[in-house]
Amino acid sequence: MEGKTQPPLVELQKSAIKDGAAFRNSGGGAYNHNFFWLEMAPTGKGGKPSEKLAKAIDDSFGSMDDFKTKFEAAGAPGARFGSGWVWLVVDGDKKLAITSTPNQDNPLMDGVEGTAGIPILGCDVWEHAYYLKYQYRRPDYIKAWWDVVNWDQVSAWYEDALGGKAPTADSATSAAALSGTRTNPSSSFSLKLGFEANARYGS
């Protein structure tokens, strides 16, 4: 990509599997983790699903409790062996679906395992996400994770997904979320998939 304008990270996802390991693993990992930071909030600060999203969850899964049970089951070691992610997506019919992907794949990628769609919620079930606190107890980690889901963000992404727009999950926005600051116009982030990253934030 030397000498070319860096496309938005979200635009690299569709063809990532076809484009090779750097795009699939590094590009997918960058997108997935940025997404992950943005969809979380301090305990008690994440709000609740919008009425529209709550109704869609009830229509698709029976209830919020049933949805959580099915989501947790999809992320359990017996369902997603090894490393990967579990997702709530808006599929091509504008319906909600639960799916999981291996490694750093995500539902935006052409040819992905599972249900393709626009992700609006995703849980990292790589062991490094939970081992220090939960060791091998992945189900306990997923249950505790609900306490920090940012339902305000997920609800906004749901509205976008109904219109065909995927979360951008760009690095500047993710970094601002992690530091508790707003995105600054003078902030910039450049990512080269040849494993070279350069970040610069304005004062």
Side-chain angles (χ1 to χ4, degrees):
M1 300 183 70
E2 190 68 32
K4 296 183 180 179
T5 301
Q6 173 67 53
L9 191 56
V10 65
E11 292 183 9
L12 300 175
Q13 304 309 302
K14 182 176 176 61
S15 61
I17 293 176
K18 175 178 68 70
D19 290 339
F23 287 85
R24 184 177 189 176
N25 298 330
S26 300
Y31 180 87
N32 295 352
H33 285 92
N34 286 351
F35 181 104
F36 192 54
W37 308 137
L38 289 169
E39 69 174 2
M40 293 188 290
T43 301
K45 302 291 186 181
K48 61 182 181 180
S50 67
E51 289 186 13
K52 190 172 183 178
L53 176 57
K55 183 178 185 305
I57 288 172
D58 288 348
D59 289 346
S60 297
F61 307 108
S63 69
M64 175 60 78
D65 287 342
D66 288 342
F67 159 63
K68 288 182 177 180
T69 297
K70 292 171 183 175
F71 190 95
E72 290 165 17
R80 172 49 60 199
F81 179 77
S83 303
W85 295 74
V86 58
W87 307 91
L88 177 65
V89 303
V90 175
D91 67 16
D93 295 323
K94 310 298 184 187
K95 302 295 185 182
L96 294 178
I98 295 168
T99 190
S100 71
T101 55
N103 303 313
Q104 296 297 358
D105 289 359
N106 64 58
L108 294 172
M109 296 177 178
D110 283 347
V112 71
E113 175 186 318
T115 303
I118 296 176
I120 62 170
L121 180 72
C123 185
D124 185 349
V125 295
W126 280 67
E127 194 173 67
H128 64 229
Y130 59 86
Y131 192 82
L132 285 178
K133 185 170 184 178
Y134 294 96
Q135 288 77 53
Y136 58 88
R137 303 189 312 276
R138 185 193 291 177
D140 292 348
Y141 151 70
I142 301 176
K143 284 182 181 296
W145 174 76
W146 294 116
D147 292 339
V148 296
V149 169
N150 184 348
W151 286 109
D152 294 332
Q153 179 64 78
V154 175
S155 297
W157 282 343
Y158 175 61
E159 289 289 343
D160 287 344
L162 291 176
K165 180 183 177 183
T168 56
D170 67 271
S171 298
T173 304
S174 179
L178 281 171
S179 64
T181 61
R182 293 183 178 275
T183 305
N184 188 311
S186 61
S187 299
S188 66
F189 187 94
S190 173
L191 174 67
K192 294 183 179 179
L193 294 179
F195 310 103
E196 178 183 342
N198 172 43
R200 183 177 72 254
Y201 296 97
S203 58

